[in-house]
Amino acid sequence: DTGVSQNPRHKITKRGQNVTFRCDPISEHNRLYWYRQTLGQGPEFLTYFQNEAQLEKSRLLSDRFSAERPKGSFSTLEIQRTEQGDSAMYLCASSYTGDSYEQYFGPGTRLTVT
Amino acid sequence: AQSVAQPEDQVNVAEGNPLTVKCTYSVSGNPYLFWYVQYPNRGLQFLLKYITGDNLVKGSYGFEAEFNKSQTSFHLKKPSALVSDSALYFCAVRDSADSNYQLIWGAGTKLIIKP
């Protein structure tokens, strides 16, 4: 089963350091989404790609956050100068193009900023 | 504006009893509705969706949901609960008339099934 994979699964970093997460979507899926989830809350949308184009970014995505999907396959999410408030689960999802298609989620990367 | 409400933070059900997890929504156009389940320290798993057609949709693990347009609801149901159904359940909606491709998520309902 080639589902959505994310690496690393856990990341502990010190405040001020940069971190990068990777997401590998389901291979046939054109759309890729990044979300952030804090304990007991629903996912918060960060950004999404259709193929390699980043089509939408949330206002939550400050200048310290950047995402890429260079060849329309895997994606990376980088957080620069991490802050304690960045501690959360970062979820990646992918889907077929089309508004009615469901998104399939990876296991997430849990970030802890100390 | 689009919104989703899951009015219950937690639902407790005895094993073998029927369960219902409630979801109401607000959109301008026609809704696309989704239910997901999340187990501890795991990503979200898709359960079922309503796009069009029959108001009763069936999904994974014996779950079903009923779309009620007049009540703007999409409640998740299962006839006989299992202890393994204990998890966090999220309802999400997208407005088919909206060019914004975001899903709007509820805050989640914790389902606890007691043996």
Side-chain angles (χ1 to χ4, degrees), chain B residues 21-64:
Chain B
V21 182
K22 295 180 180 177
C23 173
T24 59
Y25 65 90
S26 175
V27 296
S28 302
N30 293 319
Y32 294 155
L33 293 152
F34 303 83
W35 275 103
Y36 285 81
V37 60
Q38 188 173 34
Y39 297 99
N41 299 312
R42 302 279 297 277
L44 290 96
Q45 295 180 32
F46 169 73
L47 279 179
L48 50 79
K49 67 180 179 183
Y50 172 82
I51 304 300
T52 187
D54 283 344
N55 289 342
L56 185 65
V57 293
K58 295 186 183 296
S60 306
Y61 312 121
F63 283 94
E64 57 189 29

Side-chain angles (χ1 to χ4, degrees), chain A residues 61-77:
Chain A
L61 214 65
S62 75
D63 292 345
R64 297 185 297 106
F65 288 70
S66 62
E68 294 183 339
R69 194 182 183 197
K71 296 183 180 179
S73 57
F74 73 91
S75 175
T76 57
L77 177 69

Side-chain angles (χ1 to χ4, degrees), chain A residues 33-90:
Chain A
Y33 309 79
W34 284 100
Y35 293 89
R36 180 171 64 190
Q37 186 181 27
T38 52
L39 199 62
Q41 299 297 315
E44 295 176 297
F45 170 80
L46 293 178
T47 188
Y48 102 95
F49 294 83
Q50 180 147 317
N51 299 312
E52 65 275 9
Q54 188 174 18
L55 296 187
E56 194 169 346
K57 290 172 60 173
S58 166
R59 287 187 295 273
L60 292 173
L61 214 65
S62 75
D63 292 345
R64 297 185 297 106
F65 288 70
S66 62
E68 294 183 339
R69 194 182 183 197
K71 296 183 180 179
S73 57
F74 73 91
S75 175
T76 57
L77 177 69
E78 181 182 17
I79 308 175
Q80 296 181 326
R81 305 181 303 281
T82 52
E83 302 173 355
Q84 286 190 322
D86 297 331
S87 295
M89 177 78 89
Y90 290 83

